[in-house]
Amino acid sequence: EFRFRRAQVVYRWFISNDLPCRDLEGKLIRWFGTIVDLHDWREAQQALHAIQTRQVAVRADVSLAFGQKESLEAILHECAESLVRHLDAAFARIWTLSPDGRMLELRASAGHYTHLNGAHSQIPIGQLKIGAIAREQKHVLTNDIINDPRISNKACAANEGMSSFAGYPLLAGTRTLGVMAMFSRKPLAPGTAEALASTADLIAQ
């Protein structure tokens, strides 16, 4: 087995003893080998490792937050901070269902926005994208906020340079407990959907 580098691409050249070609006199006239380009494979493996690392980091932070004896607001804030820290979110928020089941109440906000008393502090079930996620119990993912009909207040998102959104319902069986969402100035990275889905399930539990 031989290794060589060409144009910054790593190759592996496998040569087997039964591959040489000889003439009638036994002289070696050519040798057949196989070259396998590992560049794409190595990049795919590195990307997969990065995805798995982010997923593990978010779940570890969420588990640690719920293991601490603090208020629910403090726990959920740490969960939102973890989304910003590991999933490249500009800001992340978590709403929980009000006692009467009609409103979503903002309980945590991290990143670019940290206030809890703004225009989206209370969202009726079914209204805006967050309320629709709670009512329909379906996640929303987009890398094109400006042209996505599901996203309201596009002008504000454009002014802030937001390009992607991800929102997941917090579900306990068939019951909605809240909504978790994040905005980013970059396209959603590979593995972000899986990380958010598993985090939403963990928070709901």
Side-chain angles (χ1 to χ4, degrees):
E1 177 184 326
F2 298 90
R3 290 171 182 254
F4 61 93
R5 184 175 295 273
R6 177 181 176 186
Q8 301 301 314
V9 179
V10 176
Y11 295 90
R12 296 180 72 183
W13 191 2
F14 297 94
I15 301 179
S16 176
N17 290 331
D18 60 352
L19 291 179
C21 181
R22 302 176 185 274
D23 61 16
L24 296 178
E25 297 179 356
K27 294 180 180 180
L28 182 64
I29 57 176
R30 72 173 55 88
W31 201 316
F32 296 97
T34 301
I35 297 178
V36 181
D37 185 351
L38 295 183
H39 180 70
D40 291 343
W41 177 83
R42 288 165 64 90
E43 284 195 341
Q45 290 298 309
Q46 291 171 354
L48 178 60
H49 177 71
I51 291 170
Q52 293 172 338
T53 299
R54 289 195 296 269
Q55 292 175 348
V56 169
V58 173
R59 289 185 64 86
D61 285 351
V62 171
S63 297
L64 180 62
F66 275 94
Q68 298 172 347
K69 294 182 180 179
E70 297 187 42
S71 66
L72 180 60
E73 284 77 8
I75 293 171
L76 294 180
H77 177 76
E78 182 56 35
C79 294
E81 286 280 2
S82 182
L83 300 183
V84 173
R85 186 162 49 244
H86 298 298
L87 300 184
D88 203 21
F91 67 96
R93 287 180 161 180
I94 300 174
W95 291 260
T96 60
L97 195 64
S98 63
D100 61 13
R102 295 187 296 178
M103 303 286 289
L104 290 167
E105 299 176 339
L106 184 60
R107 305 293 292 273
S109 185
H112 188 67
Y113 297 109
T114 58
H115 60 271
L116 300 177
N117 57 354
H120 297 99
S121 60
Q122 290 192 328
I123 301 175
I125 295 295
Q127 294 189 17
L128 305 179
K129 60 185 174 300
I130 300 301
I133 290 171
R135 181 186 61 191
E136 298 170 10
Q137 298 186 335
K138 295 180 180 179
H139 68 267
V140 172
L141 300 173
T142 181
N143 280 323
D144 189 11
I145 286 178
I146 303 304
N147 297 309
D148 195 313
R150 298 169 298 180
I151 305 300
S152 59
N153 204 356
K154 295 181 175 62
C156 180
N159 290 336
E160 295 291 342
M162 302 300 170
S163 65
S164 61
F165 168 82
Y168 278 78
L170 305 179
L171 302 175
T174 59
R175 186 162 59 100
T176 297
L177 303 179
V179 174
M180 178 184 72
M182 60 169 270
F183 280 87
S184 178
R185 295 185 174 92
K186 301 177 182 179
L188 297 173
T192 298
E194 292 83 352
L196 287 170
S198 63
T199 302
D201 288 343
L202 186 59
I203 292 174
Q205 291 172 15

